[in-house]
Every structure is written in structure tokens, then in C-alpha cells.
Amino acid sequence: MAVLAVIPARYGSRRFPGKPLADIAGKPMIRHVYERTKSAERVDEVVVATDDPRIVEAVERFGGTAVLTSPAAASGTDRVAEAARSREAEVIINVQGDEPLVDPSMVEALAAYLLAHPAVPMASLMTPLASDDALANPNVVKVVVDRDGFALYFSRSPIPYVRGAGQGAGGGRASSTSDTAPGRSASLAPRPSPRVWKHLGLYGYQRHFLFQFAHLEPTPLAEAEQLEQLRALEHGFRIKLLETAHDTIGVDTPEDARRVEQRLYATGAARAGK
């Protein structure tokens, strides 16, 4: 069963126009994403799906593969589905074009899970939330999961809310003790602390579900939060979340691009040409 990785890359970002071509440590951002994805062992093919010939030209210039998708595509998922239709892969990985720090093992984990679990329609990644600032940041998407690791909800707001623990304390985690409620014994065991997870913008789909997902009707929660994955949950489909130790910096602004560049130089990745 072949695995295809598609990188949707839109030129016309409102906050950062042309960001796929933004220079980060001497390379356009889309090249960082492409090369890291290409090195994932479980991926058979990588293609950039874009609405702009300038991005196609830039990708082909460094030896990558890119396709022009319809300018009418309403979302990155639509572009991924359009690119995947002409390929035979049974598992498709959607690697966001603004994730230049994506680690190849993240892509591999999604591919391996979906290959081994064909009944699961969709999977994504999560990592422990690192700070209170991230908890409060609406650009950092949070997710809560059930005991089997399937998503219950995604939000830009701080979730879960820990009543009586002081939201935001310890990255939003519950404290090990809480105020004793009237009529309750102070000797009761402390409540367990819920995990607080950051959702990372990589998705994997079974082929049949990707095309189905792209045609699902818009839903109120997905529209309100501007989180496309909620559309799958609202239509009753399950999303498996895999834990990863890797974190990324999604590039939404020029300041984010500078943060990525600083990390690349700090880790030596830029100097090594990685």
C-alpha cells in the first residue's frame, strides 16, 4: 500500500502573503517542508499542491514535484484531495506547507498507524502543551482525547477547563490539590491532573475517507473555531491522535519565520543544510 504525502501551499495568506516562498536560513520555506517530508521512510511520493505558478516554479527549481490545483479550492484539504486523485496511494498524509520544522518521524508515525489500522479513517498528532502562554494563544490549537486517544474536541480556547485549579496554572494542568468543597473531607485523594495537549497540523487519511471528507457539508463548530478537523467530528467520524515528542512552529507571520530560523541555527540544522 503506497503512501503519498501532499503539502498544500497557498500563496495568498492574509497575514503573510507569499509565505511558502519566504526565505528561512537560505531556503524558501516550502523547500524545508518538502525535504523533511521526503526523508520520511514510509513515504513513497511527495507533491506540493498549490494555487500559484510561482510556488510550482520554486518547487521544480529545487527538484521537487508540484501541481497546480483549482483556485476555487476552499481549503487545504480540497487541494490535497485534488492532488491525490491522480495518484494510486491508499494512505495520504497532509503536511501543512507552513510547518518547516516538521520531523520525518512525525510523518512516518501517521503513515505506519493508518497502514496498520485501515478501519480508522483519519489520524493526526499531538504533543504536551509547553506553557501557559501557549494555552492562551488562539493560534495554538488544543485537543482533548478519550482514553483510547480519539479526539473529543479541538479548540483555540484553553481546554480542558480545570474548575477550582486556577486555569493556566502549570500550563493549564490541574494542581495536585484543590480547595476543599463544603461538606467534603480534606482527606480525599487529590484529583488526577488532565493532560493538556497541543494539536499539530499534520493529518493522515485513508484514501476513501479523504475524498468523502472533502465533500462533507460545513458545520457550525468548524466554522466558529475555523478548524476544519471539527467538520469530521461533527459528522460523526473519529480522529485518532498519536502522541509525539516533537513540537513545531507553524508559520503564520514574519515573526514566526524568524523564530524558525533562530531554532534552525541554534540546532545546527541550517548550517548542516538539513
Side-chain angles (χ1 to χ4, degrees):
M1 296 175 65
V3 175
L4 169 69
V6 182
I7 305 170
R10 186 169 63 92
Y11 190 89
S13 168
R14 284 182 302 169
R15 286 182 290 177
F16 194 177
K19 70 178 179 179
L21 303 183
D23 184 278
I24 298 178
K27 296 180 183 180
M29 180 169 68
I30 193 65
R31 182 170 182 174
H32 287 280
V33 183
Y34 189 97
E35 291 178 342
R36 285 168 173 257
T37 303
K38 186 76 172 176
S39 65
E41 293 183 359
R42 302 302 294 265
V43 172
D44 298 290
E45 183 182 8
V46 180
V47 60
V48 174
T50 182
D51 62 347
D52 196 284
R54 288 168 288 189
I55 297 176
V56 173
E57 181 182 352
V59 171
E60 292 179 345
R61 193 180 302 127
F62 65 73
T65 301
V67 295
L68 268 178
T69 54
S70 170
S75 68
T77 301
D78 291 337
R79 276 185 282 278
V80 171
E82 186 175 341
R85 282 193 179 92
S86 61
R87 269 79 177 171
E88 299 298 325
E90 289 300 319
V91 168
I92 295 94
I93 309 298
N94 176 348
V95 182
Q96 302 294 311
D98 56 7
E99 293 282 356
L101 296 179
V102 61
D103 191 274
S105 67
M106 299 165 73
V107 181
E108 293 165 6
L110 285 174
Y113 181 85
L114 289 170
L115 288 170
H117 299 84
V120 176
M122 180 176 175
S124 191
L125 297 174
M126 63 184 183
T127 194
L129 201 66
S131 69
D132 291 348
D133 288 342
L135 185 71
N137 186 346
N139 292 322
V140 177
V141 178
K142 279 68 70 173
V143 60
V144 290
V145 297
D146 67 16
R147 293 188 175 198
D148 295 318
F150 285 89
L152 294 171
Y153 193 64
F154 300 86
S155 183
R156 297 183 183 279
S157 295
I159 55 172
Y161 177 82
V162 183
R163 184 177 178 181
Q167 188 65 21
R173 295 160 176 78
S175 60
S176 59
T177 59
S178 61
D179 295 336
T180 304
R184 297 190 66 183
S185 169
S187 64
L188 290 176
R191 294 176 299 172
S193 300
R195 301 296 300 272
V196 183
W197 298 104
K198 174 184 177 181
H199 176 233
L200 301 176
L202 283 80
Y203 301 93
Y205 313 93
Q206 305 292 351
R207 180 182 183 86
H208 67 88
F209 178 70
L210 171 61
F211 301 137
Q212 184 178 5
F213 182 34
H215 287 94
L216 292 177
E217 291 293 324
T219 53
L221 292 174
E223 293 291 300
E225 294 258 17
Q226 289 295 290
L227 295 175
E228 192 177 14
Q229 63 271 29
L230 287 173
R231 185 157 47 110
L233 294 185
E234 289 183 84
H235 280 279
F237 296 100
R238 303 184 81 194
I239 304 174
K240 174 69 175 181
L241 272 293
L242 305 176
E243 181 178 354
T244 177
H246 297 284
D247 199 355
T248 61
I249 299 174
V251 175
D252 294 309
T253 65
E255 291 73 22
D256 293 332
R258 286 192 286 272
R259 289 170 58 214
V260 169
E261 189 169 63
Q262 289 168 1
R263 183 182 292 188
L264 289 173
Y265 281 117
T267 60
R271 288 186 294 275
K274 295 181 181 178

